[in-house]
Amino acid sequence: MSTSTRTTTAAIAAPTLRRRSLFAMLALAAMPLSARAHADTAPAIATVQQFNAALLATMKSGRQTGFAQRFEALTPVIDQAFDLRAVLAVSVGPSWAALPQDQQTRLLDAFRRYTVASYVANFDNYAGQSFTVSPATRALGTDRLVVQSEIVPADGEATRLDYVMQ
């Protein structure tokens, strides 16, 4: 496998309980890192920076750009950053493996659309916010690490957005 990484988010700015559940599920699973990528955290940090940049662009385009256009722009970024199949498999639990392939495919497609739509809806307004990514990471065992990030409003307190990388 290449050293590219996928991320999952553990928190998001001011989510509702339903949204919080989605983003907590996204924190449960991601693509494995190779041993080289785990030793070198730069790919993980770069993935988070790229994802944050895409969110910032979505926020800046805001509501004056149609939902469908923002959805289309953010979809490939989410596909690159998240292993939604792994997140969904963990979320469904042991019965995931017993589902027929066509049902897995349909469920994954719905989950993907829901995930992208949630990000598009939640990151639709720019008011001078910025993102920061810490160069320090925290190991979670031998195959996972946390990349710390924050969304910083122009005025007010930052909200931490941690990304679990596996």
Side-chain angles (χ1 to χ4, degrees):
M1 178 197 291
S2 72
T3 59
S4 66
T5 57
R6 289 189 178 183
T7 64
T8 58
T9 61
I12 192 164
T16 64
L17 182 57
R18 174 188 274 167
R19 290 182 190 127
R20 189 170 297 165
S21 296
L22 167 69
F23 297 115
M25 286 188 303
L26 291 174
L28 296 177
M31 286 192 62
L33 286 173
S34 68
R36 186 173 139 226
H38 187 59
D40 177 12
T41 60
I45 291 169
T47 298
V48 172
Q49 289 170 329
Q50 291 167 356
F51 185 68
N52 287 349
L55 289 177
L56 190 60
T58 299
M59 292 165 66
K60 286 181 177 180
S61 69
R63 295 178 190 131
Q64 66 270 17
T65 302
F67 187 93
Q69 289 175 289
R70 289 181 286 130
F71 186 99
E72 187 176 314
L74 203 52
T75 296
V77 177
I78 287 176
D79 287 343
Q80 176 66 35
F82 295 98
D83 185 358
L84 294 177
R85 178 174 287 282
V87 173
L88 187 57
V90 168
S91 299
V92 170
S95 61
W96 173 258
L99 289 174
Q101 184 62 42
D102 67 316
Q103 287 182 356
Q104 286 183 3
T105 300
R106 288 194 322 264
L107 187 55
L108 178 59
D109 183 54
F111 183 62
R112 178 178 177 249
R113 286 190 320 268
Y114 176 77
T115 300
V116 175
S118 293
Y119 275 102
V120 171
N122 285 302
F123 291 88
D124 66 346
N125 184 13
Y126 180 72
Q129 303 94 323
S130 62
F131 286 91
T132 62
V133 178
S134 173
T137 60
R138 181 171 45 96
L140 296 175
T142 59
D143 66 341
R144 295 185 304 157
L145 61 97
V146 176
V147 175
Q148 295 177 352
S149 176
E150 290 184 329
I151 183 168
V152 183
D155 57 349
E157 191 172 325
T159 299
R160 193 162 149 182
L161 303 168
D162 287 352
Y163 296 84
V164 177
M165 312 295 282
Q166 184 172 358

